[in-house]
Amino acid sequence: MALPLKITVLAAFVLLTACRSDPISFHTLTPAQPGASRNGADIAIESISVPPQVDRAQIVIRQGNSGVAILETDWWSATLADELRGALTDQLSSGVGQQRASVRVDVQRFDSIPGQYALIDVKWRVRPLGAADAALLTCRSVLQTPSGPSIEELVTAQQNNVKRLAAQITQASMHARNCPSSG
């Protein structure tokens, strides 16, 4: 009778280890180093929108020409819209607390392709604080950064894109009336 019990325990152990899932890794768009573009600008974020297919906690990557994959073990620390809001807030805040402008951000595309690039295509509107609608400046930024094959490298590339976007928004708010080049 001891042999069937040992076989049952061994079978249960094998089944339990086979059902074990990989741990979830959490990532953020806010780099470990505080915003380097802080140069006296303090810009309030009015709103942020991202395409619904990528606005989730799981990281979504593009596969081939028409496919996407929702990664089950690599997640943002919040939904993508909340991650982007946090990262931009970090980059657009001087810490002085005197807001000079506000911005609305409308992400058109947020593509992540491991081993190739990270891309963010954004329409954004900046307005000096207290200014009328006539002072509204509408711009578009298409930012692409090469990426290595790992998800960590892809996240770092997207962090770079967000940092560059924040620098463009800051530039436009301080030197209003002209959109910066998207490069």
Side-chain angles (χ1 to χ4, degrees), residues 4-64:
L5 180 60
K6 287 180 183 178
I7 292 173
T8 303
V9 169
L10 181 62
F13 178 75
V14 169
L15 285 174
L16 286 176
T17 57
C19 294
R20 189 189 93 222
S21 61
D22 291 330
I24 295 174
S25 297
F26 291 94
H27 305 274
T28 182
L29 286 173
T30 304
Q33 300 300 319
S37 67
R38 294 180 179 180
N39 53 10
D42 210 349
I43 302 167
I45 298 173
E46 287 182 31
S47 65
I48 291 184
S49 66
V50 298
Q53 55 272 45
V54 294
D55 190 21
R56 56 182 60 238
Q58 298 96 333
I59 293 178
V60 178
I61 60 171
R62 187 176 274 278
Q63 291 183 322

Side-chain angles (χ1 to χ4, degrees), residues 20-178:
R20 189 189 93 222
S21 61
D22 291 330
I24 295 174
S25 297
F26 291 94
H27 305 274
T28 182
L29 286 173
T30 304
Q33 300 300 319
S37 67
R38 294 180 179 180
N39 53 10
D42 210 349
I43 302 167
I45 298 173
E46 287 182 31
S47 65
I48 291 184
S49 66
V50 298
Q53 55 272 45
V54 294
D55 190 21
R56 56 182 60 238
Q58 298 96 333
I59 293 178
V60 178
I61 60 171
R62 187 176 274 278
Q63 291 183 322
N65 287 330
S66 62
V68 295
I70 299 170
L71 303 181
E72 294 299 326
T73 60
D74 287 290
W75 292 34
W76 297 115
S77 64
T79 64
L80 182 57
D82 289 340
E83 268 298 307
L84 188 56
R85 177 181 295 276
L88 281 173
T89 297
D90 178 66
Q91 295 290 321
L92 295 173
S93 174
S94 66
V96 177
Q98 184 178 13
Q99 295 176 343
R100 298 183 180 174
S102 63
V103 66
R104 292 181 188 167
V105 177
D106 183 19
V107 177
Q108 306 294 301
R109 279 180 58 198
F110 191 91
D111 280 351
S112 301
I113 306 174
Q116 293 185 27
Y117 62 85
L119 178 136
I120 186 170
D121 178 354
V122 184
K123 287 184 183 177
W124 49 277
R125 294 162 296 284
V126 67
R127 174 193 340 245
L129 210 60
D133 285 343
L136 186 68
L137 178 64
T138 302
C139 303
R140 184 172 194 155
S141 298
V142 180
L143 304 164
Q144 182 173 322
T145 301
S147 171
S150 74
I151 297 303
E152 188 69 34
E153 291 167 309
L154 197 58
V155 169
T156 301
Q158 287 292 17
Q159 287 176 349
N160 183 49
N161 288 342
V162 172
K163 186 184 291 186
R164 290 168 50 209
L165 174 62
Q168 289 183 1
I169 293 169
T170 299
Q171 179 184 354
S173 72
M174 297 179 104
H175 311 289
R177 304 301 353 131
N178 290 326

